[in-house]
Amino acid sequence: MGKGGKGKGKGKSKRPPEPEGPPDEIEEVGEAVHPCEDELVCKCTNERVPHFNARIFLDNKEEIGKVDEIFGPINSFYFSMKPGEGIKADSFKKGKKVYIDTLKLLPMSRFLPQAPGGKGGKGGKGKGKGKDKGGKGKGKGKGKDKGGKGKGGKG
């Protein structure tokens, strides 16, 4: 459990620097459709899929919110944007373009069933972890050394 705690700590330390300042490049990710329960529903106009919690911007790189949910058919999907502080979802007119950091988009192929190669890669990593566990098993081998001490007692 200690290692799990360390892992979480590392994860937290990586996150805070990310939101500082506007990204180097942004590209259009969608357009506003309508507000819904304090969130803004947007139709995705990009062929790539936004990350969850990715920051959303206006064309002037002003941050306006974050991606909350992605829904709808895979060939014509929508996403909801949770507005940032002081921004109201109903202040956006229908058709208003919204933008995203270019690094926060995933290729659609990642979500299609034609990607067994990608899954195989993950499986390979899993096997690697298995070997690590084997390494831990060698620790049990040290118990045999204790057995060796027992032989010394016979002599």
Side-chain angles (χ1 to χ4, degrees), residues 35-85:
C36 178
E37 295 183 3
D38 299 329
E39 293 191 4
L40 182 66
V41 175
C42 301
K43 177 160 179 48
C44 190
T45 56
N46 198 305
E47 71 236 3
R48 295 188 292 162
V49 181
H51 284 217
F52 287 108
N53 287 325
R55 297 182 298 154
I56 299 293
F57 302 90
L58 293 174
D59 54 359
N60 64 359
K61 292 190 179 181
E62 181 189 339
E63 185 176 336
I64 54 171
K66 292 187 174 189
V67 174
D68 190 47
E69 296 283 340
I70 297 172
F71 52 92
I74 200 158
N75 58 352
S76 168
F77 63 93
Y78 293 77
F79 62 90
S80 62
M81 182 199 79
K82 195 174 197 77
E85 278 187 45

Side-chain angles (χ1 to χ4, degrees), residues 31-155:
E31 52 186 45
V33 181
H34 59 81
C36 178
E37 295 183 3
D38 299 329
E39 293 191 4
L40 182 66
V41 175
C42 301
K43 177 160 179 48
C44 190
T45 56
N46 198 305
E47 71 236 3
R48 295 188 292 162
V49 181
H51 284 217
F52 287 108
N53 287 325
R55 297 182 298 154
I56 299 293
F57 302 90
L58 293 174
D59 54 359
N60 64 359
K61 292 190 179 181
E62 181 189 339
E63 185 176 336
I64 54 171
K66 292 187 174 189
V67 174
D68 190 47
E69 296 283 340
I70 297 172
F71 52 92
I74 200 158
N75 58 352
S76 168
F77 63 93
Y78 293 77
F79 62 90
S80 62
M81 182 199 79
K82 195 174 197 77
E85 278 187 45
I87 293 170
K88 292 186 177 173
D90 55 11
S91 65
F92 295 93
K93 290 181 178 158
K94 184 173 179 168
K96 175 72 174 164
K97 304 220 179 298
V98 292
Y99 299 80
I100 192 168
D101 183 345
T102 52
L103 302 174
K104 294 294 182 184
L105 290 164
L106 294 167
M108 179 59 81
S109 60
R110 199 91 174 277
F111 302 92
L112 299 174
Q114 305 160 333
K119 290 179 184 173
K122 288 181 184 174
K125 287 180 187 172
K127 287 177 186 172
K129 288 179 183 173
K131 287 178 187 171
D132 292 344
K133 288 179 182 173
K136 290 178 186 173
K138 289 179 185 174
K140 293 178 184 174
K142 290 179 184 175
K144 290 179 183 174
D145 293 340
K146 289 178 184 174
K149 289 177 185 174
K151 286 180 185 172
K154 286 182 182 176

